[in-house]
Amino acid sequence: MHLTVKHVTQFKFAEAATHSIQYIRMTPRADLCQRVRHWEITASGRLTPWIDGFDNHVHVATFDGEHDEVRVTVSGEITTSDTNGILPMDDGLPPYIFLTPTDYTDADDGIRKFAKPIAKVLESQGALAAGHALMAAVAEAVEYQAGQTTVETKASEALAAGKGVCQDQAHLFIAAARHLGLPTRYVSGYLAAGQGNDSHLASHAWAETLVEGLGWVSFDPANDQCATDAYIRLALGLDYGTACPIRGLRSGGGLEEMDVNLRIDEQ
């Protein structure tokens, strides 16, 4: 697919801020399933590019002086390919780092109990079948409902509530998979309009699990499907905290409102 993306994020402050920093992970990764034709990030502040420890392309936007809003615009064109949700095993990152538990993905008693039936699938049918079984189980256990959780919600909390969004479903998948010994990572990106439950949101999130002998296999519990050419991979990490599209700090400003406008079109 040939996709165009226009994504505007605007933070408005109740009073003037004196200094703001935004960490932006909104540049597509170079990989087998996507080729960037053109991509641009602009902001009213100073942009500094760098590469983080997961090989994500990051920009740090710095805003100095009094300001009452921060605006970041991402636009570009990308060609995607359908790889059946599979990417090569060797992409330069040590796979077993993705067994590391985090605050978001720590497996409590509830998650360990939730993963028990999947352990039987893993033992009898292997990692690929276990991934598909886990994806379906997460989709059934955590109903997609926007507004029920926050960006701070942990996988254990989403499972207990039975409600959440793609971030929560990805975290639960990751927590259970890592508990079973399957290296699994968090992926943030875009899903083209009309291709999933939350395509109206600013971004999407799913997981990738290492299947020995096959590669990294994508699992999107929010839509109970593996990634297709409708998906754009922006960043990966241990969890939302290390792969989120945008996160910032500021001095002053008071209360904040965030306005997001995203449009993805197929050419």
Side-chain angles (χ1 to χ4, degrees), residues 104-121:
Y104 282 112
T105 63
D106 191 33
D108 68 352
D109 289 343
I111 291 177
R112 288 191 285 270
K113 181 179 179 182
F114 172 75
K116 264 193 174 180
I118 310 301
K120 295 179 181 176
V121 178

Side-chain angles (χ1 to χ4, degrees), residues 9-51:
T9 305
Q10 188 174 22
F11 299 95
K12 295 181 179 178
F13 310 136
E15 54 192 68
T18 55
H19 182 71
S20 301
I21 294 177
Q22 295 289 335
Y23 293 88
I24 305 163
R25 292 179 175 84
M26 294 186 184
T27 301
R29 297 173 64 89
D31 56 44
L32 195 64
C33 67
Q34 56 191 25
R35 181 170 63 88
V36 177
R37 302 165 68 94
H38 166 74
W39 205 261
E40 184 178 30
I41 295 179
T42 59
S44 49
R46 184 175 68 256
L47 282 174
T48 304
W50 61 290
I51 304 294

